[in-house]
Amino acid sequence: MAHDTVTPHAADPPATRSAKHGLIARGQAALHTKPLLGPLVVLLLASLFFSVWVGSRFSDPLNISLIVQQVQIIGMVGIAQTLVVLTAGIDLSVGAITVLASVVMGKLAVDSGLPVLPALLLGLVTGGVCGGLNGTLVTRFRIPPFIATLGTLSVFSALTLFYSQSETIRAQDVPSLLSWPGRSIHVLGTEVTYSSLLMVGCFATVAYLLRGTAWGAHLHAVGDNPDGARLSGIRTDRVLLSVYVVAGVICGLAAWFLIGRIGSVSPQAGENLNLQSITAVVIGGTSLFGGRGHVLGTLLGSLIVGVFSSGLALAGVEALWQVFTVGVLVVVAVAADQWIRKVTA
Amino acid sequence: MKAGDTATGVPALEARGLVKRYGHVTALGGADVDLRAGEVLAVIGDNGAGKSTLIKCLSGAEIPDAGQIRLFGEPVRFRSPLDARDHGLETVYQNLAVAPSRDIPANLFLGRERRKPGPLGSVLRLLDKKRMREETQELLTSLGLLTIQNFSQPVETLSGGQRQGVAVARAACFGSRVIIMDEPTAALGVRESQRVLDLIREISGRGVPVILISHDMPHVFDVADRIHIQRLGRRVALVNTCDISMPDAVALMTGALHPAEIDGRSRVEHP
């Protein structure tokens, strides 16, 4: 290795250099096979860091519970986003679907006098129909997901404003079933909302579908190599359509949780959800190039964002630096993904 | 000699007058194919001769505009690759229809995953990963591909030859009747190519006929029983490998020689 000794004072002898190299390569390979490892380490380190810096105000169980409540909507919408991103697509309209579905639930139950349960179910159906529209544009009309959902983002937002007349339904008018997810139970000295538990349940269910069933295997294959998946006999269009519909229904559930979280039904709520969900997915280690990642990474990703926001806020750092930090995290996560994907034999 | 006079009497795969047009371009202008049971048939042809289109039509990836296909005497019309697979016809595509980030069992069973027995499988749709792993091991062992150590590694971390091995193993596993391979050695080194050629012999030795599309004349002459020469969308000759020389085959392929001119030197069957 002649080039190793070109520098006159080479601090590292070749042996340690190659050992260091081997360690990095092994780390890269580990991150490649275990996509959850990176976000998990980041979450633990960040939590540790803020526990030391901010102290017990951060690590207090009530604050932890608050962080979970703050990220649950992003987490739910993030599940939907993960499914789409795994197929190498992107859904810019998930937040708009969520708000539309919440307005449908609220308007039907409060203004139209429909019983609450049908109103709730029709809200979920709205989510599914919106997702189905996205899926149809992508599969039947061959519109790239980015463009198709950029269009439907505006359409759904406009429909939301039209149907709600830009008016908020006040919290005292919202029926109790719609705000039920926001209620909490006391566990181990902290408060856990039903929606937090349901969110964890949704993550577990989708993780099972992705890892344990043929649908999940096909979804990954479609994101990995769409032509190959088609030639392997997978009905790729059907898989894609189902992904967008399922994503829409999950947004419908997120709408229910959103009502529980803020108490009222507002057409202005959740306007940042579209991009925040992508942030959670990316920080969670799911590749924007499709086929690679894990839905539980999105849970970790949204918790990472929550931990940084809460920690920095409690430390008295200005809000603009929270935004700054999340931006840096996204860029670092995508750079890490590019590096990890380079692993080969 | 007619394709029908083999031991079983029925040709494995027979196509007559296949036509496929893309707009104004005629990719296939009435192509015939004859594949006998248990043989390796090489399909050679220059770029644009219609080899790929021919294979797509046979494997269900494209639907021919006209023409007939018979599989073991039974007329078939494949509407999709899945349809062809259901009839026992498997294709190994040139760009390998694998999912690079998935592991080997997941790729072998892609599109026909095994589910757990009982309610776990029928209600919860749970995959039987253990069984798929065991079947993978069995299959790779029987094909002499067990040099792959760790089945749970993603296919993208395998070498080109191993990846090809996985694709071929998948075809061998499920292609109970006919296997088509499109340029299986194109991207491989010398040793890896030999490995794939051995696999082809192994598969045809088990009585499963193979159609091999290749540009590599030595490989073709090494492994094929008969050679189908495709030119300008049609079959111009079908010859026994031992009856033709490599330069003559190339000359037929490029149109430098007419099948009629070659009669004196090699025995060429006029289709």
Side-chain angles (χ1 to χ4, degrees):
Chain A
M1 293 199 146
H3 58 275
D4 274 346
T5 52
V6 167
T7 44
H9 41 83
D12 295 335
T16 50
R17 265 184 87 114
S18 71
K20 204 196 274 175
H21 208 78
L23 203 65
I24 292 174
R26 259 192 291 158
Q28 189 182 16
L31 288 171
H32 188 249
T33 48
K34 296 184 181 57
L36 291 180
L37 197 61
L40 191 62
V41 169
V42 171
L43 178 61
L44 291 178
L45 287 180
S47 305
L48 195 69
F49 173 73
F50 285 113
S51 301
V52 172
W53 186 20
V54 185
S56 61
R57 274 189 305 146
F58 175 80
S59 52
D60 186 83
L62 280 174
N63 187 49
I64 306 292
S65 161
L66 193 63
I67 292 176
V68 173
Q69 285 177 46
Q70 278 164 348
V71 302
Q72 65 189 356
I73 311 298
I74 301 175
M76 284 298 292
V77 178
I79 298 176
Q81 189 68 264
T82 310
L83 292 174
V84 175
V85 169
L86 280 174
T87 66
I90 199 153
D91 191 339
L92 298 176
S93 71
V94 279
I97 294 176
T98 304
V99 180
L100 177 58
S102 75
V103 166
V104 167
M105 289 174 186
K107 288 288 281 186
L108 286 180
V110 178
D111 289 1
S112 307
L114 212 64
V116 191
L117 190 61
L120 175 61
L121 292 178
L122 279 173
L124 297 182
V125 169
T126 304
V129 169
C130 290
L133 176 64
N134 283 336
T136 306
L137 292 174
V138 169
T139 56
R140 183 145 306 207
F141 297 98
R142 303 278 154 213
I143 302 172
F146 185 91
I147 300 301
T149 58
L150 183 65
T152 54
L153 159 66
S154 303
V155 170
F156 297 153
S157 302
L159 287 178
T160 302
L161 291 178
F162 169 74
Y163 187 39
S164 69
Q165 307 275 298
S166 304
E167 281 169 11
T168 300
I169 299 173
R170 291 173 304 167
Q172 60 262 43
D173 296 337
V174 173
S176 64
L177 178 65
L178 284 187
S179 52
W180 174 82
R183 291 204 215 153
S184 53
I185 45 175
H186 293 272
V187 182
L188 300 170
T190 184
E191 288 188 7
V192 180
T193 57
Y194 290 112
S195 51
S196 308
L197 295 174
L198 285 175
M199 174 193 72
V200 172
C202 282
F203 269 105
T205 307
V206 172
Y208 171 79
L209 289 174
L210 287 175
R211 294 282 137 174
T213 70
W215 183 72
H218 295 171
L219 189 158
H220 280 96
V222 167
D224 224 358
N225 180 0
D227 295 329
R230 195 177 58 82
L231 293 173
S232 299
I234 293 170
R235 295 187 181 92
T236 52
D237 280 355
R238 196 182 287 189
V239 172
L240 275 177
L241 183 61
S242 72
V243 164
Y244 283 93
V245 171
V246 170
V249 173
I250 292 173
C251 289
L253 279 172
W256 186 27
F257 297 179
L258 181 66
I259 298 174
R261 170 91 187 113
I262 61 177
S264 56
V265 178
S266 164
Q268 269 86 37
E271 53 189 3
N272 294 323
L273 277 174
N274 297 311
L275 295 179
Q276 282 171 334
S277 68
I278 299 173
T279 303
V281 169
V282 168
I283 293 179
T286 295
S287 172
L288 287 174
F289 299 91
R292 210 174 312 265
H294 201 300
V295 70
L296 295 183
T298 301
L299 178 59
L300 296 174
S302 29
L303 285 173
I304 289 171
V305 174
V307 162
F308 270 96
S309 303
S310 168
L312 291 173
L314 288 174
V317 176
E318 267 185 274
L320 63 96
W321 293 113
Q322 298 170 27
V323 180
F324 180 90
T325 313
V326 170
V328 171
L329 281 175
V330 168
V331 173
V332 169
V334 173
D337 174 51
Q338 290 283 28
W339 177 65
I340 291 164
R341 284 191 314 129
K342 276 192 271 180
V343 173
T344 43
Chain B
M1 185 164 51
K2 282 256 164 67
D5 18 280
T6 50
T8 59
V10 187
L13 187 68
E14 189 182 23
R16 287 288 167 267
L18 292 181
V19 175
K20 181 72 191 175
R21 295 189 194 89
Y22 299 101
H24 294 295
V25 181
T26 304
L28 286 182
D32 299 337
V33 178
D34 290 278
L35 175 70
R36 292 174 188 159
E39 77 167 343
V40 178
L41 175 71
V43 174
I44 63 173
D46 214 345
N47 290 339
K51 292 177 309 225
S52 295
T53 310
L54 182 67
I55 293 324
K56 283 179 184 163
C57 288
L58 293 178
S59 66
E62 296 274 8
I63 299 169
D65 299 326
Q68 273 199 335
I69 303 173
R70 285 168 182 275
L71 189 63
F72 290 94
E74 172 204 356
V76 285
R77 277 187 73 83
F78 301 137
R79 287 131 156 263
S80 69
L82 192 63
D83 202 7
R85 281 170 123 192
D86 291 342
H87 283 82
L89 188 144
E90 279 286 331
T91 307
V92 180
Y93 294 95
Q94 187 175 358
N95 49 359
L96 299 187
V98 294
S101 77
R102 315 302 287 161
D103 65 10
I104 297 166
N107 267 290
L108 276 179
F109 289 91
L110 191 59
R112 51 196 144 201
E113 289 80 4
R114 303 256 194 267
R115 283 207 294 266
K116 291 258 193 207
L120 274 181
S122 57
V123 180
L124 292 177
R125 323 298 278 179
L126 183 61
L127 295 178
D128 196 342
K129 293 196 174 168
K130 182 158 169 278
R131 183 168 149 221
M132 289 197 277
R133 184 167 301 269
E134 284 164 2
E135 283 184 32
T136 301
Q137 174 138 24
E138 241 167 69
L139 185 73
L140 294 190
T141 312
S142 76
L143 288 173
L145 277 170
L146 210 65
T147 46
I148 300 169
Q149 298 290 323
N150 176 7
F151 291 151
S152 60
Q153 61 183 319
V155 165
E156 66 197 338
T157 62
L158 300 176
S159 72
Q162 289 172 324
R163 232 181 281 192
Q164 193 78 47
V166 170
V168 174
R170 178 166 74 175
C173 179
F174 300 100
S176 45
R177 302 173 82 186
V178 172
I179 293 178
I180 299 174
M181 296 194 201
D182 190 2
E183 300 274 7
T185 58
L188 302 185
V190 177
R191 268 183 55 196
E192 293 185 319
S193 296
Q194 280 308 320
R195 188 70 232 122
V196 170
L197 294 182
D198 288 345
L199 265 178
I200 294 173
R201 284 194 204 93
E202 164 80 32
I203 289 163
S204 77
R206 295 174 173 199
V208 179
V210 176
I211 297 181
L212 167 72
I213 296 89
S214 184
H215 261 110
D216 192 307
M217 288 303 139
H219 290 170
V220 166
F221 277 77
D222 192 2
V223 80
D225 298 308
R226 293 195 298 167
I227 301 176
H228 164 137
I229 300 170
Q230 182 83 9
R231 181 172 154 68
L232 302 177
R234 310 178 68 111
R235 178 174 73 182
V236 293
L238 176 66
V239 295
N240 289 317
T241 309
C242 52
D243 290 341
I244 192 168
S245 67
M246 220 180 283
D248 282 355
V250 174
L252 277 174
M253 198 174 96
T254 56
L257 271 180
H258 200 267
E261 300 172 48
I262 217 166
D263 262 0
R265 293 185 274 177
S266 317
R267 288 200 299 118
V268 178
E269 296 166 50
H270 294 288

